[in-house]
Amino acid sequence: MNLRVLWPSLILLVLASCLRSGGPDSQSGRAQPRAEAFSLLGAPHYAGPPDADLNKLESDLKEASARLAQDPDDPDRIIWVGRRLGYLWRMNEAVQVYTEGLAVHPNHAAIYRHRGHRYISLRRFDDAIADFQKAAALIKGIPDEIEPDGAPNVRNIPLTT
């Protein structure tokens, strides 16, 4: 590859990473909250408020958590709590929920898949690949099925399976 061609793209990537990464608040001297993830270049990224209605997302998480508390071993309820955390950009918490769920359901492909997606958000690509490979092995030979959306798209058409 020609580095002269890649150089402008690398500069833009670094600048974008720096702009998004946050840092100490120079006005107040307050420390930033713990980074949610790190860029491929090591810059910290902080979860910001989602574009959607924050009150609705928090309410949905509270409801999903209450349902999980009623039946803590239900894999679908585990998945929904993780998904609701993900919609709030609380990816590390979502990974923890899925990891705890896999301790109870070590052969549940969907939990591996969802955790793999959160690992991508956290830039933990090797962990994501391992989870996707495990999910693929577990799901092999099982017919594909549409998954309900927790954050529907504009056309309200579920896109994930």
Side-chain angles (χ1 to χ4, degrees), residues 65-159:
S65 296
R67 288 179 43 86
L68 179 58
Q70 293 170 352
D71 188 358
D73 292 338
D74 183 323
D76 290 329
R77 292 177 186 202
I78 292 166
I79 289 169
W80 274 106
V81 168
R83 289 179 75 176
R84 297 293 182 197
L85 286 164
Y87 298 149
L88 287 161
W89 287 94
R90 291 163 56 183
M91 302 301 175
N92 287 294
E93 289 177 69
V95 164
Q96 184 62 38
V97 166
Y98 293 137
T99 300
E100 291 170 5
L102 287 168
V104 179
H105 303 283
N107 294 314
H108 200 283
I111 298 175
Y112 282 104
R113 182 187 75 73
H114 283 282
R115 188 174 70 173
H117 280 278
R118 299 299 70 77
Y119 280 146
I120 288 173
S121 298
L122 294 169
R123 308 305 192 259
R124 293 174 56 183
F125 299 119
D126 290 338
D127 292 328
I129 290 167
D131 273 7
F132 291 145
Q133 287 174 334
K134 178 74 172 180
L138 290 169
I139 204 81
K140 188 174 184 173
I142 296 175
D144 207 13
E145 61 184 54
I146 298 292
E147 179 179 81
D149 277 331
N153 57 42
V154 176
R155 294 186 176 150
N156 201 24
I157 299 171
L159 300 175

